[in-house]
Amino acid sequence: MLIVMKFGGTSVGSADRIAQAAQLAVDTAAAGHQVVVVTSAMSKVTDALIAAARQASTGDWDPTLREELFNRHKAVADALVGGDAARHAAVVDALGQRLERFEKLCFGLSMVRELTPRLLDAISGTGEMLAAPLIAAAIAARGTPSSAVDATGLIVTTDQFGGAEPLMDDTRARTRARLQPAVSRGEIPVVTGFIGATADGVMTTLGRGGSDYSASIVGAALDADEVWIWTDVDGVMTANPAEVPEARTLPDVSYSEASELAYYGAKVLHYKTILPAFRQRIPVRILNSFNPAHPGTRVTVEGHPSARGVKAVTSIRGVILVAISGTGMQGIPGIVAKTFDVVAAQQANVLMISQASSENNICFVLSAAEAPRVVAALRSALEFELMRGHIDEITAEQQVAIVAAVGDRMRGTPGIAATVFGALGTAGINVIAISQGSSERNISLVVTDRDAAGAVRAIHRAFQLDKG
Ligand code: ADP
Ligand code: ASP
Ligand code: MG
């Protein structure tokens, strides 16, 4: 089998973790498989790079940041390949070159003082470029030839900096040309997750948490047999285990359940990960690099329908509820259309929509980053309706969360909504807005951010998701 395996930040967060990741790749190859590794940056590095860029854009560049990053990565090289002078020198040289580029970008930024999305991508993608040579060296030190490959030469993307989309035909051609010969020679290429480049070679990123997406893109480009996502929990669980201690691993989920869960906040998978794999029906596994004997979760077409219908509960915190209301909205056509035209023109992503049946209120949820500009654009586009009194107000409520109950078999199962709302009622949690997708694969609701964890736990308990 050809397996594309991705390691997340905590799975490559230290010398020990990288040694373990390298061993997992080598063991899989030794079991007779062809392996391509996709890596994230070491944990916290992307955050540090973004913070550095923001600081540099104030005109204040602190060169010790480069040193700190160098020291952290070099310590790994010392620990893992310190005994092999040639290999160690090559890795340290790669780290130096990549950090030199990072420093030049930050220095330039501190002069210009304008942090564009394009520049932020060029800087924030450095973490993966530092991690890949370390992992390749650790694999090679175990006797399997390996080299780091920058995904800027593989994944061709649009120029939507900060959330670029792959152009699959070009990506497929480049990825195959670059990786197939190495893989057929028995090598394990280590590809940088998270980043890509436009057709003109300008570096882009696929969005925070995007290394999962990279793995699925590379898997699809290579017609891989499976994509494995190594993370720090035992697979996709019935809820975030950090929030619900009794959450349980789901052995099987369908592509649609996995993408719905990821979309509604299950950070264990980047929400776009599923699509490239699904198009080619490539099974995806989510595995725990801290507990590799655990079978984890398998994502396939059928999943494993649960009799109870709801399989998992998720939440997205810190989102904004925008509400457009007014008794004069009734029967006035076009306000909804105009509203969503504005949202689309702002290229904002609507996480949830709900309209009261009385037609005098529509509300929708946006990320905190996108809400301010969308609300400003709405106020100006709907100025006439506001003036005429068709709309009373456009409000943006902070500090809310979306909580979603997800499962393929919710469809056609009566009583699910009653159980959800009964559980919230008993817990004394006020529901601000409700929406059920027409796919009937989820019920999502808005509560205050303060109530989110309680709501997730109450729903988890009501459907007894802790019991298999
Ligand atoms: P990685 O660095 O491996 O990409 P992430 O931190 O992005 O890992 O994702 C793994 C984390 O996702 C887990 O540690 C867990 O806290 C969180 N998580 C949220 N919802 C779920 C869920 N339903 N199942 C499993 N993990 C979840
Ligand atoms: N390193 C990137 C991030 O922290 C991508 C990833 O880890 O998936 O967002
Ligand atoms: Mg992740």
Side-chain angles (χ1 to χ4, degrees):
M1 286 207 300
L2 171 57
I3 297 167
V4 173
M5 53 170 72
K6 173 258 176 180
F7 292 96
T10 44
S11 298
V12 294
S14 66
D16 284 352
R17 301 305 313 155
I18 289 180
Q20 160 83 343
Q23 196 61 49
L24 287 167
V26 167
D27 289 348
T28 308
H33 302 298
Q34 295 182 319
V35 177
V36 173
V37 168
V38 173
T39 187
S40 288
M42 291 178 75
S43 51
K44 310 260 171 20
V45 168
T46 310
D47 290 341
L49 293 165
I50 293 172
R54 296 210 191 289
Q55 189 193 324
S57 70
T58 65
D60 174 21
W61 169 239
D62 175 5
T64 59
L65 281 170
R66 169 184 172 164
E67 224 167 287
E68 279 167 27
L69 286 167
F70 181 72
N71 292 341
R72 178 165 176 202
H73 290 85
K74 179 173 172 293
V76 175
D78 295 349
L80 296 181
V81 294
D84 180 336
R87 187 164 285 145
H88 183 263
V91 176
V92 172
D93 186 50
L95 296 176
Q97 282 180 24
R98 284 148 193 245
L99 283 166
E100 166 121 20
R101 171 184 167 278
F102 161 73
E103 185 168 27
K104 279 188 181 146
L105 288 168
C106 286
F107 184 71
L109 176 56
S110 71
M111 296 284 163
V112 182
R113 297 196 189 191
E114 191 194 353
L115 181 53
T116 58
R118 175 179 174 137
L119 193 44
L120 183 60
D121 275 5
I123 293 172
S124 65
T126 307
E128 277 68 13
M129 294 165 63
L130 297 170
L134 292 174
I135 294 150
I139 291 173
R142 280 166 176 71
T144 308
S146 177
S147 51
V149 181
D150 285 343
T152 44
L154 308 180
I155 300 181
V156 184
T157 72
T158 60
D159 63 359
Q160 271 169 280
F161 297 100
E165 282 297 337
L167 302 170
M168 278 316 283
D169 289 346
D170 289 347
T171 297
R172 190 175 165 85
R174 288 200 199 179
T175 304
R176 294 175 84 86
R178 178 74 176 75
L179 299 185
Q180 267 178 339
V183 169
S184 26
R185 286 194 301 268
E187 295 175 17
I188 302 181
V190 179
V191 178
T192 53
F194 186 45
I195 62 174
T198 63
D200 318 333
V202 180
M203 186 159 144
T204 54
T205 70
L206 307 177
R208 291 307 306 269
S211 295
D212 302 329
Y213 192 26
S214 306
S216 176
I217 294 166
V218 170
L222 293 174
D223 296 330
D225 295 288
E226 294 200 357
V227 172
W228 294 2
I229 308 287
W230 290 101
T231 183
D232 56 4
V233 287
D234 291 336
V236 177
M237 304 177 75
T238 50
N240 183 352
E243 200 162 77
V244 182
E246 63 275 21
R248 191 177 48 81
T249 299
L250 294 162
D252 295 281
V253 297
S254 68
Y255 288 111
S256 55
E257 285 169 337
S259 70
E260 205 102 341
L261 284 167
Y263 189 78
Y264 285 101
K267 186 187 167 215
V268 65
L269 273 186
H270 183 270
Y271 74 100
K272 292 177 183 169
T273 308
I274 292 301
L275 193 58
F278 168 71
R279 284 195 189 115
Q280 288 168 238
R281 306 293 188 268
I282 302 171
V284 177
R285 284 175 194 271
I286 295 90
L287 298 159
N288 189 350
S289 74
F290 292 75
N291 184 17
H294 193 286
T297 299
R298 210 175 129 85
V299 186
T300 55
V301 175
E302 302 80 22
H304 181 77
S306 141
R308 282 192 297 273
V310 171
K311 283 182 99 165
V313 195
T314 57
S315 68
I316 315 180
R317 303 300 187 78
V319 289
I320 310 286
L321 180 74
V322 180
I324 300 179
S325 51
T327 41
M329 274 167 71
Q330 269 179 45
I332 305 232
I335 292 182
V336 175
K338 212 162 172 180
T339 300
F340 290 107
D341 277 351
V342 171
V343 174
Q346 292 295 318
Q347 297 196 338
N349 185 18
V350 178
L351 299 167
M352 176 181 149
I353 304 174
S354 157
Q355 176 173 24
S357 57
S358 64
E359 281 185 51
N360 53 23
N361 176 314
I362 44 172
C363 57
F364 51 94
V365 179
L366 299 171
S367 72
E370 290 174 334
R373 64 184 156 83
V374 175
V375 170
L378 280 171
R379 290 208 168 108
S380 110
L382 295 172
E383 202 180 1
F384 180 72
E385 287 78 1
L386 281 161
M387 187 188 78
R388 293 285 296 267
H390 296 155
I391 296 174
D392 291 339
E393 54 177 357
I394 301 174
T395 57
E397 192 162 340
Q398 322 283 327
Q399 314 288 343
V400 299
I402 297 178
V403 171
V406 174
D408 278 351
R409 286 301 162 100
M410 287 168 63
R411 191 190 192 107
T413 311
I416 288 184
T419 307
V420 168
F421 295 107
L424 297 177
T426 309
I429 291 168
N430 178 41
V431 177
I432 302 169
I434 303 166
S435 151
Q436 171 167 22
S438 59
S439 70
E440 291 185 50
R441 284 199 183 91
N442 88 67
I443 294 179
S444 39
L445 35 103
V446 176
V447 296
T448 64
D449 219 46
R450 204 162 19 89
D451 281 339
V456 169
R457 282 197 285 267
I459 297 170
H460 198 268
R461 218 176 305 119
F463 287 97
Q464 300 188 320
L465 297 182
D466 56 326
K467 311 216 171 74

